[in-house]
Amino acid sequence: MLAKDSGKKIILTGDRPTGKLHLGHYVGSLQGRVKLQNSGEFDEVNILIADDQALTDNADNPKKIRDNIIEVALDYLSVGIDPAKATICVQSGIPALHALTFYYMNLVTTQRLSRNPTVKSEMKLRGFNDSESSDNEAGLPAGFFTYPVSQAADITAFKATTVPTGEDQEPMLEQTREIVRRFNQIYGDILVEPEILLPENKTQRRLPGTDGNAKMSKSLGNCIYLSDDAKTVKKKIMGMYTDPQHINIADPGHLEGNCVFTYLDAFSREDQFAEYLPDYKNLDEMKDHYTHGGLGDVKCKKFLIKVVEEMLQPIRENRAKWEADIPAVYDILKTGTERAAAEAAETLEEVRSAMKIDYFNGDKIIGEWENFINGDK
């Protein structure tokens, strides 16, 4: 059984299967996962398809979740996630996660959950004020309200030491750390406090949508998907939000909030200028010309198209290979989920033992009961 002081370095990360994955997922997490799995630095890499958590706000459309299980797996495999080096698993197939979530719910208050920024933003989005509203229909589903607790169960089930994710997930990680500290304080030093691992390139931590919104989001329809074909990518980039004040080419342009340059910050390399845009040595020179005037948005977008296509083309080719053998994808998910379920079950056993609720693990409870009765006499 994995001990807290084992010294193992373990990763847990994942995504909700509510749709295909996009460039925001790629720069914020997926490309980092591939580097980590290949680095040899970590003893385990676990990637969770969080279908249970996706149901918290899609309970009326479970088919949407079911249909996207394979889609997300295809995205993982197409970017280079290697099932020989990483365990890809499905949340609902790991029963221990549900039990751990229930136990952890007793270690956090509703007041604390309502202060979680992710929960608060969803409450605001749905127009719910828990101090005034008496309309139950205006509230959040209980599953969504306890979403941070479910994430804590995912992370601790694998004794994860590292969670690669975006900076918007830091409040969720802090919630997990609080639960871990509370559990260990009460029951003994069992669980591991995870650390967040952010992308080194700050631009990649939260990629804006093509429409200029703060975040690329499937629900807003402002995504470039990893599975988009070249024609679709070109159309989306040519329609991308830039600088509304940059009407004429001669006008000075602004970089702040300009999606094209944000994407170039995230994706472009210096060697690509020599190949695709030799007018400039690097992005700094290009930015300087744009801000002083004389560089049009169309030219910038055409360069970005080449940069993005260079990245997406091999991903598309990998995806086509896996799409031709869906049974193999299914087997990867099934095998990974079985492996993950066994590991999470070990953690659950350890947790139950620490909580003294492993009643049927041997017959110790009989002797303990007899000692208790005799002590009372």
Side-chain angles (χ1 to χ4, degrees), residues 25 65 68 87 91 95 135 147 154 159 194 202 204 216 241 249 258 270 306 315 324 327 337 343 351 364 367:
H25 294 115
I65 310 304
N68 281 299
T87 298
Q91 188 178 42
D135 181 3
Y147 187 102
D154 299 337
K159 301 288 183 72
K202 291 184 178 180
Q204 297 178 346
M216 190 173 281
Y241 181 85
I249 292 178
N258 189 322
E270 190 165 321
K306 288 184 167 68
I315 293 175
T337 301
E343 183 171 341
V351 163
K364 289 188 299 182

Side-chain angles (χ1 to χ4, degrees), residues 209-282:
T210 56
D211 58 356
N213 268 289
K215 188 176 181 180
M216 190 173 281
S217 168
K218 289 170 280 192
S219 61
L220 295 176
N222 60 3
C223 304
I224 295 176
Y225 294 101
L226 299 177
S227 54
D228 280 345
D229 59 33
K231 183 178 179 180
T232 301
V233 171
K234 179 180 179 180
K235 181 178 180 181
K236 289 180 177 180
I237 292 179
M238 291 305 294
M240 188 175 283
Y241 181 85
T242 55
D243 174 13
Q245 299 177 37
H246 190 231
I247 299 173
N248 301 307
I249 292 178
D251 294 337
H254 299 84
L255 302 178
E256 186 176 355
N258 189 322
C259 290
V260 171
F261 282 95
T262 301
Y263 279 49
L264 288 174
D265 276 326
F267 300 117
S268 68
R269 305 186 313 271
E270 190 165 321
D271 64 285
Q272 291 173 320
F273 283 87
E275 184 174 358
Y276 303 130
L277 194 60
D279 298 358
Y280 309 100
K281 291 182 180 179
N282 52 44

Side-chain angles (χ1 to χ4, degrees), residues 124-172:
K124 183 177 180 180
L125 181 65
R126 299 191 182 203
F128 176 59
N129 185 326
D130 59 350
S131 64
E132 298 177 4
S133 176
S134 59
D135 181 3
N136 289 333
E137 293 302 316
L140 289 172
F144 192 95
F145 191 71
T146 58
Y147 187 102
V149 186
S150 175
Q151 281 202 337
D154 299 337
I155 295 166
T156 59
F158 296 95
K159 301 288 183 72
T161 58
T162 307
V163 180
T165 188
E167 61 185 355
D168 59 322
Q169 291 296 305
E170 176 60 38
M172 291 293 203

Side-chain angles (χ1 to χ4, degrees), residues 19 34 42 100 122 125 132 151 165 177 194 200 203 210 217-218 230 266 271 275 280 305 309 316 339 355 367:
V34 174
F42 291 88
L100 289 171
E122 189 68 15
L125 181 65
E132 298 177 4
Q151 281 202 337
T165 188
R177 288 189 284 265
E200 293 180 7
T203 306
T210 56
S217 168
K218 289 170 280 192
D271 64 285
E275 184 174 358
Y280 309 100
I305 289 169
E309 274 302 301
R316 288 195 202 103
R339 186 186 309 136
M355 295 175 68

Side-chain angles (χ1 to χ4, degrees), residues 353 356 358-359 361-369:
S353 176
K356 306 299 183 186
D358 57 336
Y359 308 121
N361 184 11
D363 57 5
K364 289 188 299 182
I365 190 172
I366 299 174
E368 291 169 356
W369 179 81

Side-chain angles (χ1 to χ4, degrees), residues 90-194:
V90 179
Q91 188 178 42
S92 60
I94 309 173
L97 300 181
H98 309 137
L100 289 171
T101 298
F102 184 82
Y103 298 146
Y104 295 168
M105 282 195 291
N106 297 313
L107 303 177
V108 62
T109 66
T110 55
Q111 289 86 347
R112 174 64 182 91
L113 288 174
S114 66
R115 292 197 305 271
N116 186 293
T118 302
V119 175
K120 284 180 68 175
S121 64
E122 189 68 15
M123 291 173 70
K124 183 177 180 180
L125 181 65
R126 299 191 182 203
F128 176 59
N129 185 326
D130 59 350
S131 64
E132 298 177 4
S133 176
S134 59
D135 181 3
N136 289 333
E137 293 302 316
L140 289 172
F144 192 95
F145 191 71
T146 58
Y147 187 102
V149 186
S150 175
Q151 281 202 337
D154 299 337
I155 295 166
T156 59
F158 296 95
K159 301 288 183 72
T161 58
T162 307
V163 180
T165 188
E167 61 185 355
D168 59 322
Q169 291 296 305
E170 176 60 38
M172 291 293 203
L173 265 291
E174 180 54 34
Q175 187 83 78
T176 296
R177 288 189 284 265
E178 289 178 12
I179 290 172
V180 167
R181 289 193 289 266
R182 180 65 174 156
F183 183 95
N184 288 347
Q185 179 186 21
I186 298 172
Y187 301 113
D189 210 22
I190 302 296
L191 302 179
V192 177
E193 283 194 47

